[in-house]
Amino acid sequence: MSSARVDYIAPWWTYWLHNFPHINLRFQPSDNSFQPEDENYQQSLIFLGCVAAAGLGLNLLCLAIYLSCLCCCRKDDEEESKKPNSCCVTWSAVAAGLITCVAVGVGFYGNSETNDGVYQLTYSLYNANHTLGGVDSLVTGTMGSMKSGLHQHLARLDEIFATRGDYVQTLQFMQQMADNVIKQLLGLPDWAEAKVDLASVADQTANIEYYRWFTYLLLLILDLIICLLACLGLAKQSRWLLTTMMVFGVLTLVLSWTSLGADLATAVGTSDFCVSPDKYVMSQTKGIIGADIVHYYIYCNQTLSNPFQQPLTIFQRSLTTMQIQIQGLLQFAVPLFPTAERDLLGIQHLLNSSEASLHQLTALLDCRGLNKDYLDAMVGVCYDGVEGVLYLCLFSILAACAFTVMLCAIPRAWRQIACRERDYDDIDEEDPFNPRARRIGSQNPNHTNMHSFCSYSSSMGSQSSLHPPAPAVSNAPMSEYMNQTALFGGNPRYENVPLIGRGSPPPSYSPSMRATYLSMTEEQSRHFGNDFQA
């Protein structure tokens, strides 16, 4: 193990979060040490969620005040304020879109970092669980072989060597060595309960993380879709789409503040654990594993003595003594008692397998393996995990700001769209300069109710008046008419004689202006008709 991983050092942001005020629901300060079973500590984390809920209430209150002012305060001159309001809505939409894109990017990164940290935690827990399971399996297997297999072989050999007292004493001595091995193995901690706890914690953590990751993924996609649809509604000037996105924007605003409260409480609670994880681990293993053993695996220093060194050494010496005794019996007793060879070889095989198990057990009980899993779990939780949760908190704040700006811009855009449609409906549909009238005329050529202000006379207001006059007319007015038509686009179909001598009319005007314009046009037509007859 590299020297950089010997000691665990908590990151600076965990100390920053650990120093957050811990206040219970009775507004009393509580201890900031990680105590998830303590009621006051639970209330201090719930209080952080309540702070986020208060922020949501304040945000909604400000939005309600803004919308009330927007509905009550109407300006008298809509035309003067149209262009500045349009710019304000446009820039608000651009700002909301940019903030939403940044928030979604930050959210995806934070969600991935949190998932990586939790995955590293569960992977380390499964590794430690595998190690403890291997230790438990080796201890159980060795004790079983010593109790049952060795006992059966020694019982048969005792019957075979009944006439030789020295051989019987050797067998009794081997039984004492086997009992000593069993005694040393029983002195090792019972890893079965700890193994089950680690497996259940890893399974629950993996399940919770999967649903958390999937929920945030849906929230990120929802924020992005709402932002895109809101921009589409502004571009298309669709009031129903803007209204729908406003409702979903309020819902997303509530979700953003809710996720902020949950993330803040999670970050603070995890940081309280990361500041002093050894204290919590030792409190949880109290009564299951000795404090010296837990201390040995957490710190794994060269200065710390291995608490399993003595039982493992006695185990090794007992096996070596038993193997020497079996070698002597194979050499001297088998020539006298050939039937004992099978049991002696069986004991020898059992001792060899026990020695192999001893080497594996020594490697598994070494602190470096479990300490590496412990450090990997702490790095996953306190570095990647807490950092990812902080990015998720930033995502929630940015999303709340973006949707607040969006909810402020949508009512203004909705109001401007309504004003434009109202002004558009006030225009006379029979006005030839009205774009709607032009579209109706182009779509329905047989529409006879549309009279042109540019007709040659009052009796020629239909579509046929758009054709050039007959060739029998004198050349003086016709030349002037052709010059004017060439001046106004070169196509006689779209201009007529009353337009001679003036520019094009304004695109829209009031009914009073229309009446004035009609009177002037009729007067000019009469003068032109008199001149033409003269």
Side-chain angles (χ1 to χ4, degrees):
M1 185 174 60
S2 61
S3 58
R5 300 289 303 277
V6 172
D7 295 327
Y8 163 75
I9 300 176
W12 63 268
W13 53 81
T14 58
Y15 288 100
W16 176 64
L17 293 170
H18 178 66
N19 292 327
F20 270 29
H22 289 64
I23 302 174
N24 58 20
L25 298 180
R26 294 182 296 273
F27 298 98
Q28 297 176 352
S30 61
D31 189 11
N32 59 357
S33 59
F34 186 70
Q35 299 173 358
E37 298 86 4
D38 185 60
E39 183 179 358
N40 287 327
Y41 184 79
Q42 294 175 359
Q43 291 182 4
S44 66
L45 296 182
I46 296 174
F47 181 80
L48 296 175
C50 294
V51 171
L56 171 62
L58 183 62
N59 194 354
L60 293 177
L61 179 62
C62 293
L63 283 175
I65 294 175
Y66 171 79
L67 294 178
S68 300
C69 294
L70 185 64
C71 293
C72 296
C73 301
R74 294 180 178 273
K75 295 182 179 180
D76 296 333
D77 193 1
E78 295 287 344
E79 295 294 333
E80 293 181 359
S81 62
K82 183 183 296 183
K83 186 174 181 180
N85 287 340
S86 300
C87 294
C88 180
V89 171
T90 302
W91 284 110
S92 298
V94 171
L98 291 177
I99 296 174
T100 302
C101 292
V102 173
V104 170
V106 172
F108 271 111
Y109 178 76
N111 198 28
S112 177
E113 282 292 304
T114 305
N115 183 258
D116 291 342
V118 176
Y119 173 78
Q120 191 170 353
L121 169 65
T122 55
Y123 183 78
S124 301
L125 290 176
Y126 283 127
N127 268 351
N129 184 72
H130 178 72
T131 301
L132 298 180
V135 171
D136 184 66
S137 177
L138 289 173
V139 170
T140 304
T142 304
M143 290 176 60
S145 62
M146 288 290 178
K147 287 181 179 180
S148 60
L150 184 61
H151 180 73
Q152 293 176 3
H153 288 299
L154 291 178
R156 286 195 293 266
L157 289 175
D158 188 66
E159 295 177 359
I160 295 172
F161 297 151
T163 58
R164 294 292 303 266
D166 53 346
Y167 293 161
V168 173
Q169 291 180 357
T170 302
L171 295 177
Q172 293 176 354
F173 179 73
M174 291 179 62
Q175 184 63 50
Q176 293 177 359
M177 293 293 101
D179 294 339
N180 195 19
V181 169
I182 293 173
K183 180 181 178 181
Q184 299 303 321
L185 293 176
L186 288 174
L188 296 177
D190 186 11
W191 302 100
E193 187 175 356
K195 177 174 67 70
V196 172
D197 289 340
L198 288 180
S200 62
V201 169
D203 292 337
Q204 292 176 4
T205 304
N207 291 332
I208 294 174
E209 170 57 21
Y210 172 76
Y211 290 110
R212 185 211 62 81
W213 174 83
F214 188 71
T215 302
Y216 264 100
L217 185 63
L218 293 179
L219 181 60
L220 292 169
I221 295 175
L222 179 64
D223 287 356
L224 193 59
I225 290 176
I226 291 176
C227 179
L228 292 178
L229 291 179
C231 293
L232 181 63
L234 291 174
K236 295 292 185 180
Q237 296 185 356
S238 175
R239 287 192 289 175
W240 71 268
L241 185 57
L242 290 177
T243 304
T244 306
M245 291 305 103
M246 189 170 182
V247 174
F248 279 99
V250 173
L251 175 62
T252 310
L253 187 65
V254 174
L255 292 177
S256 298
W257 281 100
T258 303
S259 63
L260 176 61
D263 291 335
L264 184 60
T266 303
V268 172
T270 309
S271 299
D272 293 338
F273 167 75
C274 292
V275 168
S276 58
D278 52 345
K279 181 180 178 181
Y280 179 73
V281 171
M282 294 185 72
S283 65
Q284 291 298 307
T285 56
K286 186 177 181 181
I288 302 174
I289 304 173
D292 56 338
I293 298 175
V294 177
H295 192 271
Y296 169 71
Y297 283 116
I298 288 178
Y299 297 102
C300 193
N301 293 328
Q302 298 296 332
T303 57
L304 297 176
S305 60
N306 189 347
F308 308 108
Q309 185 65 41
Q310 183 177 359
L312 292 177
T313 302
I314 296 175
F315 187 7
Q316 176 68 48
R317 291 176 180 177
S318 300
L319 289 179
T320 303
T321 303
M322 294 169 69
Q323 287 174 347
I324 293 174
Q325 298 297 326
I326 291 297
Q327 289 292 337
L329 290 176
L330 286 173
Q331 183 178 0
F332 299 104
V334 169
L336 299 176
F337 304 95
T339 56
E341 183 178 7
R342 181 179 178 182
D343 290 314
L344 291 174
L345 291 176
I347 294 175
Q348 187 179 36
H349 177 71
L350 189 148
L351 294 176
N352 291 334
S353 63
S354 298
E355 186 176 9
S357 299
L358 172 64
H359 292 304
Q360 296 179 12
L361 186 62
T362 303
L364 291 176
L365 290 176
D366 188 77
C367 67
R368 288 174 292 182
L370 289 176
N371 181 257
K372 182 180 182 300
D373 295 332
Y374 171 75
L375 292 177
D376 289 342
M378 290 299 101
V379 169
V381 172
C382 303
Y383 282 82
D384 295 338
V386 177
E387 182 183 6
V389 173
L390 287 177
Y391 278 109
L392 290 178
C393 291
L394 180 59
F395 152 73
S396 300
I397 295 174
L398 292 176
C401 294
F403 284 101
T404 300
V405 174
M406 184 181 298
L407 291 175
C408 292
I410 287 178
R412 282 187 172 274
W414 197 92
R415 181 178 175 183
Q416 288 181 10
I417 293 172
C419 291
R420 289 176 183 176
E421 291 183 355
R422 184 174 63 251
D423 294 340
Y424 193 73
D425 292 336
D426 291 339
I427 300 175
D428 189 3
E429 292 186 355
E430 295 184 358
D431 183 7
F433 300 105
N434 183 7
R436 180 183 297 179
R438 293 182 181 179
R439 288 196 297 268
I440 295 175
S442 62
Q443 295 174 1
N444 189 9
N446 298 323
H447 186 61
T448 58
N449 294 327
M450 180 68 68
H451 295 279
S452 174
F453 296 139
C454 307
S455 61
Y456 184 76
S457 64
S458 61
S459 63
M460 300 178 64
S462 63
Q463 192 72 14
S464 61
S465 65
L466 295 177
H467 295 285
V473 183
S474 64
N475 293 331
M478 183 60 66
S479 61
E480 183 180 1
Y481 164 72
M482 295 302 293
N483 291 334
Q484 293 294 331
T485 56
L487 179 62
F488 286 100
N491 195 343
R493 295 182 301 171
Y494 303 112
E495 301 294 339
N496 216 328
V497 175
L499 294 177
I500 297 173
R502 70 175 189 86
S504 60
S508 62
Y509 44 83
S510 63
S512 61
M513 294 175 62
R514 178 176 178 272
T516 304
Y517 176 72
L518 286 175
S519 62
M520 294 175 62
T521 304
E522 291 176 357
E523 183 179 357
Q524 290 179 2
S525 298
R526 286 196 301 270
H527 287 298
F528 180 76
N530 295 331
D531 294 339
F532 181 74
Q533 292 176 2

